[in-house]
Amino acid sequence: MKICVLPGDGIGVEIMAQAVRVLKALDLKCELENALLGGCAVDATGSPFPEVTQKLAKEADAVLLGAVGGPKWDVLPREQRPERGLLGIRKHLGLFANLRPAVLYPELANASTLKPEVVAGLDIMIVRELTGDIYFGQPRGIEMRDVDGSKQRVGFNTMIYSETEIRRIGRVAFDAARRRNKKLCSVDKMNVLETTQLWRDVMIELSADYPDVELSHLLVDNAAMQLVRNPKQFDVMVTGNMFGDILSDEASMLTGSIGMLPSASLDENNKGMYEPCHGSAPDIAGKNLANPLATILSVAMMLRYTFALEERAQQIESAVKKVLAQGYRTGDIYEPGTTRVGTKEMGDAVLAAL
Ligand code: IPM
Ligand code: MG
């Protein structure tokens, strides 16, 4: 098991330290190699995704990522921004399938801003396409053009999907639904956008191979509304890169705690990159305040999807449930009556529970 570890920026470093402790405690035969991605890589090499990192990530069986970005690098030209490193590694490794579960832990029932009865027991999975769509479509840019007789700046991007791209993410989503409650909702904007008309057509064609999975469709605006109206109607949702970016943030907040949610980004062969859904939180970086649980749960996803070690994955997940039941909380999930702990102490608690 070769794992490339990319702590990244901001709180990435602290949360990754705890996740690595948990991984090491499992005593699996794994080789860990650290490398730079994001702002730290820009500072050291001038590039957010340097060649050394490209090589290590390619050679590894899986990549563990903390978080990238921060205000310090927002002023740089687009090619040098940390986000470019993240998009670069997704594309470089062909990680087209992004799995973002939104699970409400019973112990955190009051963390959500929604009424408890709306979210109690919530367990949905968003499957987001990650290497296509308007994120990567060409042409793109900002340029001077003649508009109604006046020269002005025009910004443009291209929303594009081939049927092969749609089919392969569709299969991942149908397979995921098959392992869960056998309901798949595909999200598009077919009333306006041709790209997503094709998306819907291909999903319908694919459904012939999955008679046991119930396929439904929603337009993205309605899907956003339904997610807060009655999120428990969903099991698996599948959508493109742009809509998935937005809907997965929305879904994460249903659980009240983006600090709890892991994610997996997989290629065709289940090689994957695993990272928390949250960002680098520069405001609390280096203060031992960040919640390491999403990164620790990302290790569990890695063991499940890339290494097929389901029992080991569940071992980590049970340990996390146990520390929550014991009342340990970092600031983001703290409520009166629980025990407030820091990043490292949360890691200690998970290790003890393991
Ligand atoms: C995410 C993030 C990224 C994205 C950014 C940081 C490029 O928002 O992983 O959802 O838009 O994909
Ligand atoms: Mg996002």
Side-chain angles (χ1 to χ4, degrees):
M1 292 166 65
K2 251 187 157 172
I3 301 164
C4 174
V5 179
L6 307 172
D9 309 316
I11 59 170
V13 180
E14 301 154 75
I15 54 181
M16 186 57 76
Q18 300 313 314
V20 165
R21 281 175 82 201
V22 170
L23 177 60
K24 286 188 172 158
L26 290 179
D27 231 355
L28 303 163
K29 292 209 168 44
C30 54
E31 259 174 71
L32 306 181
E33 289 249 38
N34 270 61
L36 299 174
L37 183 81
C40 58
V42 173
D43 289 348
T45 71
S47 155
F49 184 30
E51 263 168 45
V52 196
T53 306
Q54 294 181 22
K55 187 160 174 289
L56 281 176
K58 257 262 148 72
E59 286 165 5
D61 303 306
V63 178
L64 266 179
L65 172 62
V68 300
K72 178 177 169 197
W73 301 285
D74 283 346
V75 291
L76 293 175
R78 204 161 275 279
E79 322 72 67
Q80 286 175 28
R81 291 200 202 147
E83 291 76 11
R84 221 8 119 73
L86 186 57
L87 297 175
I89 194 167
R90 288 172 180 171
K91 195 72 175 173
H92 184 73
L93 299 178
L95 307 174
F96 67 93
N98 186 212
L99 311 184
R100 296 192 167 181
V103 174
L104 186 88
Y105 290 83
E107 292 81 8
L108 303 179
N110 297 319
S112 177
T113 48
L114 272 71
K115 294 195 190 96
E117 63 268 27
V118 176
V119 290
L122 182 81
D123 180 353
I124 62 186
M125 170 79 89
I126 297 201
V127 178
R128 168 188 177 196
E129 200 290 328
L130 204 59
T131 51
D133 203 351
I134 197 165
Y135 267 59
F136 293 93
Q138 294 290 346
R140 63 192 296 158
I142 301 175
E143 63 185 32
M144 294 302 287
R145 286 192 193 166
D146 249 324
V147 181
D148 300 331
S150 83
K151 276 251 182 255
Q152 52 177 273
R153 285 172 302 169
V154 171
F156 55 98
N157 290 88
T158 303
M159 181 178 241
I160 180 166
Y161 268 124
S162 69
E163 57 179 313
T164 313
E165 287 176 303
I166 302 170
R167 206 168 288 121
R168 68 178 183 178
I169 191 70
R171 288 213 180 276
V172 171
F174 273 105
D175 287 335
R178 199 167 246 180
R179 286 190 302 268
R180 296 171 45 107
N181 292 325
K182 303 193 167 42
K183 274 170 57 184
L184 176 62
C185 178
S186 167
V187 177
D188 59 46
K189 188 71 184 173
M190 60 78 89
N191 54 347
V192 181
L193 303 170
E194 287 79 359
T195 318
T196 72
Q197 174 67 59
L198 180 65
W199 179 280
R200 187 175 292 209
D201 294 346
V202 172
M203 288 296 162
I204 292 171
E205 289 159 23
L206 257 185
S207 68
D209 292 347
Y210 297 85
D212 50 325
V213 175
E214 180 197 317
L215 174 67
S216 61
H217 307 273
L218 280 181
L219 298 174
V220 63
D221 48 352
N222 188 14
M225 192 260 281
Q226 295 296 337
L227 263 177
V228 283
R229 191 186 70 85
N230 176 20
K232 282 190 273 179
Q233 68 185 289
F234 298 114
D235 177 21
V236 179
M237 300 176 93
V238 63
T239 190
N241 205 347
M242 183 76 257
F243 299 159
D245 179 44
I246 301 164
L247 292 181
S248 63
D249 260 32
E250 188 189 5
S252 73
M253 262 333 272
L254 300 174
T255 72
S257 52
I258 199 168
M260 293 295 302
L261 300 177
S263 76
S265 307
L266 306 174
D267 76 358
E268 319 259 5
N269 307 310
N270 285 337
K271 171 170 177 166
M273 181 163 82
Y274 299 85
E275 58 180 309
C277 282
H278 60 72
S280 59
D283 52 321
I284 59 164
K287 297 184 178 157
N288 196 41
L289 289 174
N291 185 349
L293 293 179
T295 317
I296 290 172
L297 290 166
S298 299
V299 173
M301 280 190 106
M302 174 181 82
L303 298 178
R304 169 171 298 125
Y305 288 103
T306 293
F307 299 111
L309 294 168
E310 178 61 32
E311 266 174 46
R312 293 316 196 106
Q314 285 183 20
Q315 222 178 325
I316 295 179
E317 289 163 351
S318 308
V320 167
K321 286 196 189 114
K322 187 161 173 194
V323 301
L324 292 175
Q326 289 167 336
Y328 294 113
R329 301 285 188 276
T330 40
D332 56 315
I333 49 176
Y334 176 78
E335 52 185 313
T338 61
T339 312
R340 193 192 280 265
V341 292
T343 312
K344 160 134 195 329
E345 293 70 34
M346 189 58 113
D348 293 343
V350 174
L351 281 180
L354 263 184

